[in-house]
Amino acid sequence: MQVDLPDVLAEVTAQFERYEKALVSNDVAVLDELFRNDPRTLRYGGGENLYGYKEIMAFRAGRSPIGLGRRTDRTLITTYGRDMAVASTLFYRDTMVGKVGRQMQTWVRFPEGWKIVAAHVSVIDEPRDQKA
């Protein structure tokens, strides 16, 4: 298996950046588009466990658009072959002083394009030795 093929890495990076832009601007249509429409798709959030595309869509539709701005750090995207990737990033919000968010996404290429099939978001106290 080839890891980080340049063309595949560029494709997934573009989709990750599209996701990030949609997230901070609350573009729910794009966010919904980027998750796989499947009952097995899941998203573990900061305060919710969402099983299936319908639960993820409902969460997005009901989420407040206030305070979504953030800055990312240490983003790492790794591709495995031509059809699978993992994207990980740290994020910081002005409203989360002393905290760091962590986000991981598993991306899979389907005939309709790259889709997130699993995501995890959590927030922890910022480790003293890793301040951004």
Side-chain angles (χ1 to χ4, degrees):
M1 173 179 296
Q2 293 181 301
V3 176
D4 287 342
L5 291 163
D7 60 323
V8 179
L9 186 57
E11 291 174 15
V12 177
T13 298
Q15 291 304 309
F16 178 84
E17 290 170 354
R18 189 168 170 238
Y19 176 89
E20 186 64 24
K21 181 179 177 184
L23 180 70
V24 299
S25 65
N26 201 40
D27 188 337
V28 175
V30 171
L31 294 170
D32 287 348
E33 174 193 332
L34 292 175
F35 275 82
R36 172 88 168 147
N37 185 350
D38 190 289
R40 295 165 293 195
T41 298
L42 63 89
R43 179 187 177 274
Y44 293 149
E48 63 286 332
N49 298 317
L50 306 172
Y51 287 84
Y53 182 74
K54 289 180 183 178
E55 287 185 17
I56 296 167
M57 280 183 55
F59 168 78
R60 293 280 184 218
R63 184 176 185 186
S64 170
I66 298 169
L68 297 178
R70 67 187 198 168
R71 63 190 180 285
T72 59
D73 188 40
R74 301 190 74 176
T75 300
L76 177 62
I77 299 171
T78 306
T79 65
Y80 301 92
R82 302 203 69 79
D83 300 315
M84 194 253 181
V86 174
S88 306
T89 196
L90 300 177
F91 65 89
Y92 299 87
R93 289 196 165 112
D94 292 340
T95 58
M96 298 186 335
V97 177
K99 304 280 187 182
V100 58
R102 304 171 305 172
Q103 174 184 298
M104 293 188 78
Q105 301 166 329
T106 302
W107 291 80
V108 176
R109 183 200 310 264
F110 292 93
E112 64 273 19
W114 286 99
K115 302 292 181 180
I116 299 166
V117 297
H120 185 148
V121 179
S122 60
V123 177
I124 61 169
D125 290 335
E126 187 173 16
R128 294 178 191 256
D129 62 339
Q130 296 179 0
K131 293 194 185 277

